[in-house]
Amino acid sequence: MQIRELTIPDSYEITPKQFGDDRGVFLEWYRFDKLEEVIGHPLDLAQANTSVSKKGVVRGIHFADIPPSQAKYVTCTHGAVLDFVIDIRVGSPTFGQWDSVLLDGVDRRAIYISEGLGHAFVALTDDATVSYLVTSTFNAEREHGIDPRDPAIGLVFPPEAGEPLLSPKDTDAPTLAEAAEAGILPTWDQARAFYASLSEKGV
């Protein structure tokens, strides 16, 4: 597999090598050892999630408190989504910026999103099926959101997604500036210290 760091530090696009014949296709969509070589520590996976979304559904922007936050390894097993990683770490050189990866059932890419980063996606097809491997179990008290329509972030949803469909939880979420003022955002220093602790633990 090929692993490429995105423009947001500590996030990566993973493109697997696919082996196809007249029976179908085989691929490795997750390899802990290959990812560990890049990020410096193994993933301690704790939970696996799947969501199925109608075309136009937007999920996110979601993040969790550090520590332990929640790193995510995300792929789309059916249909297509545009997946976003948003840097919400106060003090980061790319704070407030985002990058995106097309996840679909053709190239079968995945995206790795480190702890402390924001995550969102928009479904480009009906029945878009997204599977996540995550490093901590869900804890509602430590989970937060940012309004994905925040113009200061400026996520761009492709025209083929149609009219965005959002939950009240996401539309009622604060803007990035409001979240910063409320003190709920992780910081760059917190995140870097946490990544370093994971690397030391993995030695």
Side-chain angles (χ1 to χ4, degrees):
M1 56 177 54
Q2 294 180 334
I3 302 178
R4 175 180 70 90
E5 188 166 23
L6 300 174
T7 59
I8 303 303
D10 311 304
S11 64
Y12 298 86
E13 173 195 81
I14 299 94
T15 303
K17 186 174 182 180
Q18 302 189 60
F19 301 89
D21 57 26
D22 56 0
R23 299 168 301 165
V25 176
F26 174 84
L27 67 143
E28 296 175 341
W29 73 275
Y30 171 68
R31 278 282 299 266
F32 84 96
D33 54 340
K34 299 297 185 183
L35 189 63
E36 180 181 359
E37 290 174 7
V38 174
I39 66 174
H41 62 85
L43 293 192
D44 185 11
L45 298 176
Q47 186 172 315
N49 306 322
T50 295
S51 65
V52 181
S53 302
K54 295 168 56 177
K55 181 178 179 180
V57 165
V58 177
R59 298 183 186 268
I61 302 168
H62 300 150
F63 66 99
D65 292 336
I66 293 180
S69 188
Q70 190 182 67
K72 300 176 181 179
Y73 191 97
V74 185
T75 194
C76 181
T77 56
H78 177 78
V81 303
L82 187 62
D83 200 277
F84 299 94
V85 54
I86 303 96
D87 198 340
I88 58 169
R89 300 167 297 186
V90 176
S92 167
T94 55
F95 178 73
Q97 299 177 32
W98 57 271
D99 203 347
S100 63
V101 174
L102 175 65
L103 305 180
D104 60 23
V106 178
D107 294 317
R108 298 183 169 91
R109 294 186 185 93
I111 185 172
Y112 173 72
I113 300 169
S114 293
E115 296 87 348
L117 293 169
H119 177 241
F121 69 78
V122 58
L124 305 181
T125 63
D126 281 328
D127 298 322
T129 305
V130 174
S131 291
Y132 319 62
L133 303 175
V134 298
T135 57
S136 62
T137 56
F138 177 78
N139 184 334
E141 294 180 357
R142 303 184 68 81
E143 296 283 332
H144 305 285
I146 294 168
D147 190 336
R149 305 166 302 172
D150 183 356
I153 297 174
L155 295 184
V156 177
F157 304 129
E160 60 265 34
E163 186 68 24
L165 303 172
L166 295 93
S167 72
K169 173 185 173 183
D170 290 335
T171 57
D172 292 343
T175 64
L176 184 65
E178 290 168 342
E181 186 175 351
I184 63 173
L185 295 180
T187 70
W188 172 254
D189 290 342
Q190 275 180 324
R192 303 307 295 180
F194 186 69
Y195 307 153
S197 74
L198 293 175
S199 297
E200 291 168 5
K201 189 185 301 183
V203 171

